[in-house]
């Protein structure tokens, strides 16, 4: 529907901004599983309204609105009727039968907002509010003088797979398909004419009720009664047997009838699917109406958040979610898990998750933290105590394309793993629960965490040095006149990633013995202490292995490993050393190297993006880092530094989109 698309466009505009003159946080349902706050005041403080209007104009937004509603004659998003100086909120909730997603957007001028809706919009009055809906009524947009309400719903598949629910709402089983190759045409599994099936109206003509005049219980009773009538009529229908096939054309007719049966099967399958989907849509629509009624009456409580109520001007978006397990439990395949495994606890120990997108000069940062319960916080504090081996730092240089460092205390990890697994998957019933308990106990008894931690200490550094060319062998085929072929060994130059992975080990005997066995089986070749895997097919990224000075190195660059082994590798002081030493986890991508990398790999780039790709050489690094646990919280940060060409990071991004939109328009 055009009116819905425009309403969603307004939502997209509002995602660009909102804040203080009115705060709708008190209208966000208290039990929302997660909430996102959008700070328009902060956004528009850093962005140019003139450029935003230019982007919307070139995207055809204003033109489309004026086509559909001649009363709107403007090229300014400030005249959409949205209060750009207030915060907007997106909220989400779920129960066993339905997912709710909603938005609360402050209005500045109701009449202005209505002027952007198409003239043919079907505006209804529901719960006393002007409203528009999708055709299936699973998304509703309503508004009063101050607030735009968007509420949508999606039925939960797990709920409608339950046999009692399918029977309650009169849902039908899909026809079975006969895969026998020589099967004759199969009769209809359902006689749709028996209950006068109407594809235009489907179940709506049977079930629809007025939620303003009937309670949810009465509506559900109507659904159930109509569904039972549908089932009774379907069961009462009689289906004639298929006609006999003429003998003279038996093989031909069997093929034709199979084709006809396939067409019939998909027709019946489509009808059943439409019937069931219609029931789900009506269920969702009725639940949305009831939810909106409770929301407007203030019966859903108010979401509490100190952070969202006091966002700073440089904070653009803030996200909050309470216990992840309370959200995820609705998405597990309960028919499999609970039927065979009992009900696992799936307790990950997450108490609260926060993250904030903010502007820091020409940097864009995403800061976040995860709060754990007391037990899990204790485990993770010990696990993330490990620091990187300082010897690794000499093998990272400023020209590297990127690197990943991940450091955990492997002794603490192994020590606490049984308790963590039990917390995640404990509570299962019967045999599966006993097997899990046995596994946890055996792991605790058999595995010597101190011994394992000497073999693999837990510090890792993976460095991507770039891309290099390498001559590789491959097998080709030559054919003679009789199409007999013979294998020909050829070589070609390929561009491959050049990488180095290293981890610490105080006891390398296990690795050395494994390599010794592989050498005797001719699966590894020893090049004076640097080991090469022998494979039937040449794999240019397969690593060479070097064990030296308590470090295990894996790389596909033989020359670099030779230099490391002979102590001739020349280290250089790197700007990345500080990041690696301070953080338990760090991921860095050298953005400056991307344009040259794209050229080296001959990757196609659209002309509208060509200039922006080249501008990446002026960017700072993209990074994601974490120093591990602080108290009961796991902290992390991600970000990127933009060129100093704009007033700030938001301004630079708007300039970039502006330039791209101009290129696309040309």
């Amino acid at each position: 529907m055009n009116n819905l698309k425009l309403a969603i466009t307004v939502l997209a505009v509002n995602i660009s901004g909102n804040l203080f003159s009115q705060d709708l946080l008190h209208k966000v349902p208290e039990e929302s599983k997660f909430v996102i706050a959008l700070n328009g005041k902060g956004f528009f403080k850093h962005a140019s309204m003139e450029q935003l209007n230019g982007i919307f104009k070139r995207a055809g937004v204003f033109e489309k609105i004026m086509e559909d509603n001649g009363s709107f004659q403007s090229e300014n998003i400030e005249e959409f009727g949205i209060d750009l100086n207030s915060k907007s909120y997106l909220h989400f909730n779920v129960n066993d039968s339905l997912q709710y997603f909603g938005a609360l957007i402050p209005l500045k001028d109701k009449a202005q907002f209505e002027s952007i809706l198409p003239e043919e919009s079907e505006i209804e009055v529901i719960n006393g509010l002007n409203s528009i809906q999708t055709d299936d009524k699973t998304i509703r947009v309503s508004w009063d003088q101050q607030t735009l309400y968007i509420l949508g719903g999606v039925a939960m598949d797990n709920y409608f797979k339950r046999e009692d629910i399918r029977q309650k709402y009169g849902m039908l089983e899909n026809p079975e398909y006969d895969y026998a190759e020589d099967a004759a045409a199969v009769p209809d599994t359902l006689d749709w004419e028996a209950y006068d099936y109407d594809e235009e109206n489907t179940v709506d003509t049977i079930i629809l009720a007025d939620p303003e005049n009937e309670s949810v219980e009465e509506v559900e009773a109507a659904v159930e009664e109509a569904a039972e009538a549908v089932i009774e009529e379907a069961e009462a229908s009689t289906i004639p047997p298929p006609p006999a096939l003429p003998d003279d054309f038996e093989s031909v007719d069997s093929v034709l009838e199979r084709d006809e049966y396939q067409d019939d099967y998909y027709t019946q399958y489509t009808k059943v699917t439409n019937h069931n989907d219609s029931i789900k849509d009506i269920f969702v629509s009725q639940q949305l109406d009831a939810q909106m009624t409770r929301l407007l009456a203030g019966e859903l409580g108010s979401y509490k958040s100190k952070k969202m109520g006091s966002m700073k001007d440089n904070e653009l978006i803030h996200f909050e979610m309470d216990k992840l397990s309370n959200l995820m439990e609705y998405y597990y395949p309960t028919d499999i898990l609970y039927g065979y495994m009992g009900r696992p606890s799936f307790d990950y120990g997450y108490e609260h998750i926060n993250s904030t997108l903010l502007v820091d000069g020409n940097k864009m940062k995403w800061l976040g933290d995860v709060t754990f319960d007391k037990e899990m916080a204790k485990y993770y504090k010990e696990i993330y105590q490990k620091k990187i081996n300082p010897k690794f730092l000499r093998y990272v240089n400023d020209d590297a394309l990127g690197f990943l460092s991940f450091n955990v205390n492997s002794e603490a990890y192994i020590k606490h793993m049984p308790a963590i697994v039990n917390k995640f998957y404990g509570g299962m019933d019967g045999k599966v629960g006993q097997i899990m308990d046995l596994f946890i106990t055996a792991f605790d008894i058999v595995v010597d965490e101190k011994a394992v931690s000497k073999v693999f200490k837990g510090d890792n550094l993976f460095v991507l040095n770039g891309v290099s060319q390498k001559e590789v062998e491959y097998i080709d085929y030559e054919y003679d006149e009789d199409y007999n072929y013979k294998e020909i060994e050829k070589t070609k130059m390929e561009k491959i990633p050049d990488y180095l992975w290293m981890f610490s080990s105080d006891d390398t005997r296990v690795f050395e013995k494994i390599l010794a066995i592989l050498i005797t089986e001719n699966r590894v070749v020893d090049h004076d202490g640097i080991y090469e895997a022998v494979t039937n097919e040449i794999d240019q990224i397969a690593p060479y292995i070097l064990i030296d000075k308590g470090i295990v190195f894996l790389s596909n660059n033989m020359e670099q490993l030779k230099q490391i082994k002979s102590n001739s590798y020349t280290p250089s002081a790197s700007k990345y050393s500080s990041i690696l030493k301070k953080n338990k986890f760090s991921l860095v991508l050298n953005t400056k190297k991307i344009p040259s990398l794209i050229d080296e790999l001959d990757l196609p780039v659209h002309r509208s993006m060509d200039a922006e790709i080249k501008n990446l050489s002026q960017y700072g690094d993209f990074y994601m880092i974490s120093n591990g646990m602080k108290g009961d919280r796991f902290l992390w940060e991600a970000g990127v530094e933009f060129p100093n060409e704009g007033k700030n990071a938001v301004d630079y991004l708007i300039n970039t989109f502006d330039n791209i939109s101009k290129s696309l328009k040309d």
Side-chain angles (χ1 to χ4, degrees):
M1 292 176 65
N2 288 335
N3 52 4
L4 175 69
K5 291 179 180 178
L6 285 173
I8 298 303
T9 299
V10 174
L11 173 60
V13 174
N14 207 62
I15 287 177
S16 304
N18 290 335
L19 196 103
F20 282 155
S21 62
Q22 51 175 309
D23 200 319
L24 301 177
L25 182 59
H26 67 283
K27 292 187 178 183
V28 176
E30 183 178 13
E31 299 301 322
S32 298
K33 293 295 186 288
F34 68 75
V35 180
I36 302 174
L38 309 169
N39 182 354
K41 181 182 178 183
F43 179 84
F44 284 103
K45 179 178 179 179
H46 297 89
S48 165
M49 183 65 70
E50 181 181 352
Q51 282 187 313
L52 285 172
N53 285 329
I55 294 171
F56 272 72
K57 180 179 179 179
R58 284 184 288 276
V61 175
F62 299 121
E63 181 181 359
K64 177 61 179 172
I65 294 175
M66 286 185 277
E67 274 181 15
D68 294 338
N69 194 329
S71 64
F72 183 85
Q73 296 294 321
S74 174
E75 293 182 347
N76 186 350
I77 61 176
E78 290 180 289
E79 295 184 24
F80 279 4
I82 304 296
D83 184 355
L84 299 179
N85 285 319
S86 296
K87 288 198 293 289
S88 293
Y89 295 94
L90 310 180
H91 55 90
F92 178 87
N93 207 346
V94 62
N95 55 41
D96 62 339
S97 62
L98 191 68
Q99 304 169 82
Y100 296 97
F101 56 89
L104 295 165
I105 301 172
L107 289 182
K108 179 181 64 176
D109 190 315
K110 177 184 175 184
Q112 259 187 350
F113 168 72
E114 291 179 342
S115 72
I116 70 173
L117 300 177
E119 291 176 347
E120 69 274 13
S121 296
E122 297 179 7
I123 299 179
E124 309 171 62
V125 177
I126 307 176
N127 299 118
L129 301 180
N130 284 359
S131 305
I132 53 177
Q133 301 183 90
T134 53
D135 291 332
D136 59 11
K137 300 183 180 180
T138 60
I139 300 177
R140 172 179 161 185
V141 181
S142 301
W143 60 94
D144 56 24
Q145 294 289 344
Q146 295 83 30
T147 308
L148 178 66
Y149 304 87
I150 298 178
L151 190 63
V154 178
M156 295 292 285
D157 286 339
N158 288 341
Y159 180 75
F160 284 95
K161 286 178 181 177
R162 287 168 41 184
E163 187 58 32
D164 60 326
I165 298 302
R166 295 181 67 83
Q167 291 184 9
K168 176 179 179 179
Y169 293 110
M171 301 183 75
L172 302 173
E173 295 294 334
N174 282 315
E176 294 184 1
Y177 189 85
D178 188 351
Y179 289 96
E181 184 176 349
D182 59 347
V186 178
D188 293 348
T189 54
L190 294 169
D191 185 356
W192 292 89
E193 294 181 359
Y195 57 90
D196 192 23
Y197 182 84
D198 182 353
E199 286 194 47
E200 292 294 325
N201 298 314
T202 63
V203 188
D204 295 51
T205 58
I206 304 172
I207 301 175
L208 274 182
D210 185 354
E212 293 188 7
N213 298 325
E214 294 187 36
S215 66
V216 175
E217 289 76 17
E218 290 173 328
V219 170
E220 290 181 349
V223 173
E224 184 175 355
E225 181 180 350
E228 288 175 355
V230 171
I231 293 175
E232 289 174 2
E233 290 189 50
E235 290 177 345
S237 63
T238 57
I239 303 170
L245 299 173
D247 292 338
D248 293 342
F249 300 98
E250 182 176 357
S251 60
V252 175
D253 284 352
S254 66
V255 172
L256 293 175
E257 288 195 339
R258 281 202 302 273
D259 290 342
E260 290 174 1
Y261 167 60
Q262 288 178 347
D263 292 341
D264 181 66
Y265 167 79
Y266 288 113
T267 299
Q268 302 301 333
Y269 181 90
T270 300
K271 288 181 178 179
V272 170
T273 301
N274 290 342
H275 173 88
N276 291 343
D277 287 346
S278 181
I279 289 176
K280 291 181 183 179
D281 289 345
I282 292 169
F283 173 83
V284 170
S285 175
Q286 292 166 349
Q287 295 298 315
L288 288 182
D289 285 342
Q291 182 79 349
M292 182 69 85
T293 299
R294 292 191 291 268
L295 175 64
L296 296 173
E299 296 174 2
L300 300 180
S302 297
Y303 186 82
K304 301 296 189 296
S305 171
K306 292 182 180 179
K307 180 63 179 176
M308 289 182 175
S310 59
M311 290 178 69
K312 300 176 182 177
D313 285 353
N314 70 327
E315 296 173 336
L316 308 182
I317 301 174
H318 182 71
F319 170 91
E320 288 185 2
M321 180 171 68
D322 279 325
K323 288 181 178 286
L324 180 63
S325 56
N326 290 349
L327 171 65
M328 296 305 299
E329 65 177 327
Y330 294 103
Y331 296 97
Y332 297 125
T334 54
D335 52 336
I336 297 176
L337 292 176
Y338 301 167
Y340 297 96
M341 301 172 59
R343 185 182 178 95
S345 60
F346 292 119
D347 184 0
Y348 301 100
Y350 301 139
E351 292 293 311
H352 202 74
I353 300 174
N354 289 286
S355 60
T356 302
L357 179 69
L358 58 84
V359 181
D360 183 8
N362 66 325
K363 295 181 182 178
M364 187 77 76
K365 294 182 179 180
W366 194 282
L367 308 179
D369 63 79
V370 180
T371 303
F372 290 94
D373 62 29
K374 187 176 181 180
E375 182 183 14
M376 292 297 286
K378 176 180 179 296
Y379 296 155
Y380 285 129
K381 276 182 184 178
E382 295 183 23
I383 289 173
Y384 289 109
Q385 283 180 343
K386 186 69 179 174
K387 293 183 178 181
I388 193 170
N389 185 338
K391 294 179 182 178
F392 292 174
L393 303 180
R394 61 184 288 151
Y395 304 114
V396 183
N397 60 69
D398 291 348
D399 290 329
L401 181 59
F403 62 83
L404 170 66
S405 172
F406 184 66
N407 307 292
V408 296
N409 185 324
S410 56
E411 180 179 350
Y413 184 84
I414 296 169
K415 175 183 175 182
H416 295 306
M417 184 49 58
I420 293 174
V421 170
N422 186 60
K423 190 175 181 70
F424 287 1
Y425 305 111
M428 291 183 290
D429 301 326
K431 186 177 180 179
V432 175
Q434 292 174 343
I435 292 173
M436 181 63 71
D437 186 57
L438 174 62
F439 167 76
I440 292 171
T441 303
F443 185 89
D444 195 25
I445 294 173
V446 173
V447 178
D448 184 344
E449 59 264 23
K450 290 187 179 296
V452 173
S453 67
K454 289 182 179 180
V455 175
F456 188 82
K457 298 183 70 173
D459 51 352
N460 295 267
L461 177 58
F462 180 91
V463 183
L464 185 60
N465 289 309
V467 174
S468 60
Q469 283 199 338
K470 183 177 181 179
E471 187 178 60
V472 297
E473 297 178 353
Y474 70 101
I475 301 297
D476 200 0
Y477 301 93
E478 286 188 358
Y479 295 86
D480 60 21
E481 295 179 353
D482 298 323
Y483 297 101
N484 299 312
Y485 70 88
K486 62 178 179 179
E487 294 183 352
I488 304 294
E489 281 193 4
K490 294 184 177 181
T491 61
K492 62 180 178 179
M493 300 301 294
E494 282 199 359
K495 294 170 182 177
I496 60 172
D498 184 340
Y499 68 88
L500 175 66
W501 175 30
M502 61 203 95
F503 60 86
S504 299
S505 176
D506 288 342
D507 188 347
T508 60
R509 291 176 298 171
V510 172
F511 304 113
E512 292 165 353
K513 290 181 179 180
I514 292 173
L515 290 170
I517 293 172
L518 293 175
I519 289 172
T520 61
E521 295 181 354
N522 296 319
R523 298 181 63 182
V524 166
V525 177
D526 182 0
H527 297 284
D528 192 23
I530 299 176
Y531 302 91
E532 177 187 5
V534 178
T535 59
N536 292 330
E537 296 181 4
I538 300 298
D539 186 354
Q540 57 267 29
I541 65 171
Y544 300 98
I545 302 170
L546 169 66
I547 301 173
D548 187 65
K549 300 180 182 65
I551 302 175
V552 178
F553 298 89
L554 297 93
S555 175
N556 60 344
N557 188 329
M558 171 68 91
E559 293 304 315
Q560 185 179 18
L561 291 184
K562 285 181 178 179
Q563 293 175 13
I564 292 173
K565 185 175 183 299
S566 64
N567 289 321
S568 60
Y569 183 84
T570 305
S572 59
S574 172
K575 63 181 180 181
Y576 298 125
S577 296
S578 177
I579 293 175
L580 288 165
K581 286 189 289 187
K582 289 180 179 179
N583 295 285
K584 307 297 190 300
F585 171 89
S586 54
L587 169 65
V588 173
L589 177 64
N590 190 341
T591 317
K592 291 184 176 67
K593 305 285 288 185
I594 292 179
S596 59
L597 178 65
I598 290 175
D599 288 340
E600 290 177 27
L601 297 177
D602 296 323
L603 298 178
V605 176
H606 191 276
R607 63 179 179 81
S608 64
M609 296 295 297
D610 187 58
E612 303 312 320
I613 292 294
K614 291 179 180 177
N615 285 342
L616 290 175
S617 61
Q618 306 299 318
Y619 279 49
D621 298 322
F622 169 81
Y623 68 91
M624 181 179 291
I625 57 175
S626 173
N627 195 27
M629 297 292 294
K630 183 177 181 180
D632 59 355
R633 296 185 301 156
F634 180 86
L635 308 176
W636 59 270
E637 176 183 332
V640 63
E641 183 176 354
F642 297 106
N644 278 315
E645 297 176 4
K647 299 175 183 177
N648 51 69
V650 173
D651 184 60
Y652 182 84
L653 285 175
I654 296 297
N655 283 328
T656 299
F657 290 131
D658 194 23
N659 293 332
I660 292 173
S661 70
K662 290 175 181 176
S663 300
L664 291 172
K665 195 69 175 177
D666 294 339

